[in-house]
Amino acid sequence: MRPAPSSVDATQDLLAEGRYVADRSLATALFLALKLGRPLFLEGEAGVGKTEIAKVLGDTLGRRLVRLQCYEGLDVASAVYEWNYPRQMLEIRLAEAGGEANRDALAKDIFAESFLIRRPLLQALEPHPAGPAVLLIDELDRTDEPFEAFLLEVLSDFQITIPELGTIKAEEPPIVIITSNRTREIHDALKRRCFYHWVDYPDARREAEIIEARLPGIPERLTAEIVGFVQRLRKTDLFKLPGVAETLDWTQALTTLDRLELDPRTINDTLGALLKYQDDIAKIQGSAAERLLADVKNEVAANQAVGV
């Protein structure tokens, strides 16, 4: 397990080591969250790389990643712990068959830790030979408000209370990354316990760097055209704008087709890698795609002429 980075530059280098191209403001937010021991709350559109930060931190720091994928109806039994009822019933039947009638002793036995099923939040707080975990609470906005309220104790004191066993407190708090796609507002009480950062779409230069880091060997001209096209799409009135994940998917699709540069037909045939709604695809296919591509090629040619 490696120690946390000691500066913003070191944080940026750490992320780059994991092939994550972060701008300085994100690296600063992450450094401060690590330094101050507070959860990092990342909000932004889907596909901009929020979840990936937790994965990269786990890999580069040599820590286990514990992921809690949130969804509507998520409860304590699924997120924290539950008792293994079938095993408890079996224990009771065996005790009855063996003539063990001491109910107090039996109750103590069946609520022992061996009957406890540990879910992600409890796993992240318990000691582990590999050291404190990176706890990813992904897409918190999908949960209900009662569960969000439950998290307040976890994020404030890094402890969980199990009535039958007592309070379990982390000896050393995990690194906590919380993400939200902002489908609903997260309560201020939870945000106050975190270091907040909005993750935006990357600008053209950083998006080209991301492609180079994630998919090395892509021809420079193709990268420039892909980035130029995607950046223009994000300025278009679409229901769902393409994220970085879609850019990488599209790049992989184009290289699989052995394309060295964009052309209208290829764009029309592969738009499904970028856009996930038929209305958006219908709006871009054809003449709109040709206009965007013409602008992109003019810009790439102009940049090449001046050596950019």
Side-chain angles (χ1 to χ4, degrees):
M1 186 179 71
R2 291 168 58 179
S6 57
S7 67
V8 175
D9 289 336
T11 305
Q12 210 159 9
D13 292 343
L14 182 79
L15 293 173
E17 188 180 317
R19 298 189 301 157
Y20 190 99
V21 182
D23 61 25
R24 191 161 182 85
S25 62
L26 175 56
T28 302
L30 177 58
F31 167 70
L32 291 174
L34 294 174
K35 192 74 175 176
L36 300 176
R38 298 178 66 180
L40 178 60
F41 187 97
L42 299 175
E43 204 164 43
E45 299 293 336
V48 293
K50 305 184 295 296
T51 301
E52 193 65 20
I53 290 178
K55 296 178 181 176
V56 169
L57 274 182
D59 288 342
T60 53
L61 292 177
R63 300 187 182 213
R64 63 197 165 102
L65 175 68
V66 178
R67 178 174 185 167
L68 175 63
Q69 180 63 54
C70 298
Y71 54 86
E72 188 176 355
L74 178 65
D75 59 8
V76 172
S78 301
V80 188
Y81 75 93
E82 64 179 324
W83 292 105
N84 190 333
Y85 295 119
R87 280 197 60 200
Q88 286 177 318
M89 288 300 299
L90 180 62
E91 187 73 10
I92 293 171
R93 297 284 169 77
L94 290 172
E96 290 174 345
E100 299 174 21
N102 188 331
R103 295 179 60 184
D104 291 339
L106 183 60
K108 185 177 180 181
D109 287 344
I110 63 173
F111 286 109
E113 285 195 35
S114 57
F115 292 99
L116 193 66
I117 300 174
R118 293 159 172 79
R119 301 302 187 194
L121 289 183
L122 184 55
Q123 291 173 19
L125 297 187
E126 289 194 319
H128 191 279
V134 174
L135 171 61
L136 168 62
I137 302 176
D138 208 13
E139 300 184 343
L140 180 61
D141 51 318
R142 290 180 180 273
T143 63
D144 306 315
E145 291 186 3
F147 181 77
E148 187 184 319
F150 170 80
L151 281 179
L152 295 179
E153 179 190 10
V154 178
L155 298 181
S156 295
D157 302 322
F158 294 104
Q159 67 179 32
I160 287 171
T161 300
I162 301 175
E164 297 85 357
L165 295 178
T167 299
I168 297 175
K169 186 177 177 64
E171 294 176 1
E172 189 175 346
I175 295 171
V176 182
I177 306 292
I178 303 172
T179 74
S180 167
N181 293 334
R182 210 178 186 182
T183 57
R184 71 171 177 84
E185 286 294 331
I186 301 299
H187 198 279
D188 286 347
L190 191 140
K191 285 185 174 179
R192 281 200 303 272
R193 287 161 171 77
C194 305
F195 205 97
Y196 176 87
H197 185 78
W198 174 263
V199 183
D200 211 344
Y201 293 113
D203 59 23
R205 173 171 294 187
R206 191 158 71 87
E207 191 149 32
E209 291 174 352
I210 292 170
I211 292 176
E212 186 177 352
R214 290 283 172 171
L215 302 169
I218 304 297
E220 189 175 335
R221 181 184 180 86
L222 180 61
T223 298
E225 291 187 351
I226 289 171
V227 170
F229 193 86
V230 172
Q231 293 278 327
R232 279 168 173 76
L233 273 186
R234 292 193 186 123
K235 295 175 183 174
T236 307
D237 182 23
L238 298 174
F239 181 74
K240 174 67 176 70
L241 301 178
V244 177
E246 282 75 33
T247 302
L248 295 173
D249 285 346
W250 195 39
T251 304
Q252 281 187 310
L254 294 171
T255 54
T256 300
L257 296 173
D258 296 323
R259 295 295 184 268
L260 298 177
E261 59 181 283
L262 295 179
D263 61 81
R265 182 176 178 179
T266 300
I267 292 174
N268 288 336
D269 291 345
T270 57
L271 268 179
L274 274 180
L275 304 175
K276 304 305 177 182
Y277 289 87
Q278 176 55 27
D279 289 347
D280 288 344
I281 292 175
K283 184 180 288 186
I284 298 301
Q285 268 181 334
S287 58
E290 289 181 14
R291 285 196 299 274
L292 290 176
L293 181 59
D295 292 342
V296 169
K297 286 189 177 291
N298 289 336
E299 181 183 68
V300 171
N303 288 338
Q304 287 180 336
V306 296
V308 177

